[in-house]
Amino acid sequence: MIVTKKDTYTILGDEEDGIKSFASFLEFIIPKAYASENLVIDLLKYEKLSLEDLLLFLPVSNQQRADNKSFVIVNKAVHIDRVPEEIMVVPTLGEAKDVIELEEIQRDLGF
């Protein structure tokens, strides 16, 4: 796993080439090592990702959000209109950063 720490969030990327194994690994590692951090999951290298593949990340996304932390997936393969509201997917790392900043402001304001 490729880990890049930023000021207000951490980017996690897949070194291997298996979306299912990466999703499974994140379910294991995030509660142990990254539960208190806002996370960006970099899936840009997966150019042919399906909605079903993205939904593999829903359990860990739900857990992070329940703990008042951001969980943003970065990928362009699935059209945003097909992605359910329960999971945040954006096409660029810059947009992921913006989403985290907005969510932090909302949490600070009590939303």
Side-chain angles (χ1 to χ4, degrees), residues 51 54-55 58 79-89:
L51 178 57
L54 285 176
L55 293 178
L58 188 56
H79 194 277
I80 194 71
D81 291 337
R82 295 189 56 222
V83 178
E85 290 181 21
E86 293 84 17
I87 193 161
M88 177 61 67
V89 180

Side-chain angles (χ1 to χ4, degrees), residues 18-103:
I19 195 72
K20 289 180 183 176
S21 61
F22 186 52
S24 178
F25 177 71
L26 290 181
E27 279 190 57
F28 168 77
I29 198 69
I30 287 174
K32 296 180 183 323
Y34 300 101
S36 64
E37 299 182 35
N38 294 315
L39 297 175
V40 173
I41 309 304
D42 183 355
L43 301 179
L44 285 171
K45 76 176 195 173
Y46 293 102
E47 295 177 3
K48 295 187 181 205
L49 211 58
S50 69
L51 178 57
E52 291 74 27
D53 293 331
L54 285 176
L55 293 178
L56 294 171
F57 296 89
L58 188 56
V60 70
S61 172
N62 287 341
Q63 184 58 51
Q64 282 297 102
R65 291 182 176 284
D67 292 339
N68 282 325
K69 293 296 170 187
S70 297
F71 187 90
V72 183
I73 295 173
V74 181
N75 185 269
K76 302 179 203 177
V78 178
H79 194 277
I80 194 71
D81 291 337
R82 295 189 56 222
V83 178
E85 290 181 21
E86 293 84 17
I87 193 161
M88 177 61 67
V89 180
V90 296
T92 68
L93 290 169
E95 287 181 70
K97 178 184 178 214
D98 293 344
V99 166
I100 289 174
E101 288 174 357
L102 286 172
E103 288 181 351

